[in-house]
Amino acid sequence: MASTLITYPNPNELTQSAANLVMQTMRRVIQNTGRCSISLSGGSTPHSLYSLLAQPAYVSQIDWNKVTVFWGDERCVPPDHPDSDYLMARLALLDHLPPENFPTLYRMEGELEPTEAARRYEKVLRGHFGAQAATFDLLLLGMGEDGHTASLFPQTQPIHETEHWAVAHYVSKLSSWRLTLTPPILNRSQATLFLVTGRAKAATLKRVLQGNYTPDDLPSQVIRPANGNLLWLVDREAGSLLE
Ligand code: 6PG
């Protein structure tokens, strides 16, 4: 696994660079293979990225009609609920793409009974990737202050999942159900991009990147792509405690 960390002076520059990286990666993959799969995350940092990618200068550079969009996690709410990660991506990015340049979307069905929604998403993923060694061409992730990523929260079972690709679980600290992809699929992406901003995450980021390997406490540590590249894009504040 190749892992690289890039630090930016502020969140705006990070977002700008992330948008260029996403665009270049997608263009390259489409040029080489004729298609591209991307997994989106929720959160505030990705929101700025999606809004930027929705600008005409970016839209015109990407053949979104050759792209398949997945989600790394979802809240158990209907797709029109303000908490929905799917709705966030639609409003910030997808609804700005013209019909003739629109991707294929596979959202997690947060409105269904959670275990059924996970079972259905697993089927979608297996159907799409089948026996392929790699899964996503590009996986976007964020990290919470508690070290969670996707909806892999500290001290929860999905951190250790080895079989299923999508699971539902009740997250006690949130008093709610979440749907999430699991390490066996998350670690088979060709390129993984973590976006982390803000001083509030500095101590956790230091522990994740430079502390002992304790994924039960710091689920983001479980992201270790088997063959792909792992890139951490952080702003100065989030990276302020790194050596
Ligand atoms: C979600 C997420 C989650 C997110 C992190 C970071 O909550 O839906 O997918 O894993 O990426 O909580 O979010 P921020 O960028 O908002 O801090």
Side-chain angles (χ1 to χ4, degrees):
M1 173 190 82
S3 169
T4 308
L5 174 102
I6 306 178
T7 309
Y8 298 90
N10 54 57
N12 278 348
E13 289 190 38
L14 182 152
T15 302
Q16 192 75 53
S17 173
N20 288 328
L21 262 165
V22 166
M23 182 186 73
Q24 285 157 11
T25 304
M26 292 175 81
R27 283 174 61 93
R28 194 191 62 239
V29 172
I30 291 170
Q31 208 166 28
N32 292 343
T33 69
R35 56 194 185 146
C36 179
S37 59
I38 180 168
S39 174
L40 304 182
S41 79
S44 53
T45 322
H47 182 271
S48 319
L49 169 64
Y50 303 157
S51 303
L52 190 52
L53 287 171
Q55 300 300 312
Y58 285 99
V59 172
S60 61
Q61 296 286 320
I62 300 173
D63 290 332
W64 282 101
N65 52 2
K66 298 191 173 124
V67 176
T68 309
V69 179
F70 297 88
W71 274 261
D73 71 324
E74 186 56 279
R75 292 101 196 268
C76 292
V77 294
D80 56 355
H81 190 284
D83 290 345
S84 164
D85 283 342
Y86 165 77
L87 181 66
M88 188 277 267
R90 278 217 79 125
L91 295 177
L93 168 62
L94 302 166
D95 286 353
H96 301 272
L97 304 176
E100 70 280 6
N101 191 17
F102 202 79
T104 302
L105 306 182
Y106 289 118
R107 70 174 179 90
M108 292 179 170
E109 297 164 291
E111 70 276 28
L112 301 182
E113 190 278 316
T115 53
E116 173 64 4
R119 195 190 62 75
R120 285 170 60 108
Y121 209 60
E122 171 113 16
K123 208 171 158 200
V124 165
L125 292 165
R126 301 264 178 195
H128 189 83
F129 295 113
Q132 284 175 42
T135 53
F136 308 112
D137 293 303
L138 186 55
L139 167 65
L140 301 181
L141 292 173
M143 184 195 79
E145 278 175 52
D146 61 357
H148 84 263
T149 190
S151 280
L152 302 174
F153 286 87
Q155 318 297 337
T156 59
Q157 197 281 330
I159 299 167
H160 300 288
E161 179 62 48
T162 55
E163 217 171 293
H164 292 293
W165 284 2
V167 299
H169 67 137
Y170 185 77
V171 183
S172 313
K173 69 186 283 187
L174 304 176
S175 302
S176 60
W177 283 80
R178 285 288 182 105
L179 297 164
T180 188
L181 300 189
T182 61
I185 181 167
L186 293 170
N187 280 330
R188 280 166 58 185
S189 176
Q190 299 280 11
T192 303
L193 216 55
F194 257 104
L195 307 179
V196 186
T197 58
R199 184 157 302 262
K201 294 182 182 174
T204 306
L205 186 66
K206 181 178 168 59
R207 289 173 63 214
V208 166
L209 294 179
Q210 296 175 342
N212 292 335
Y213 184 70
T214 54
D216 272 310
D217 296 328
L218 300 165
S220 295
Q221 288 183 328
V222 91
I223 304 301
R224 298 170 139 192
N227 296 305
N229 291 321
L230 174 59
L231 194 54
W232 287 84
L233 305 188
V234 312
D235 74 342
R236 190 175 287 148
E237 299 228 310
S240 58
L241 299 177
L242 295 174
E243 274 144 32

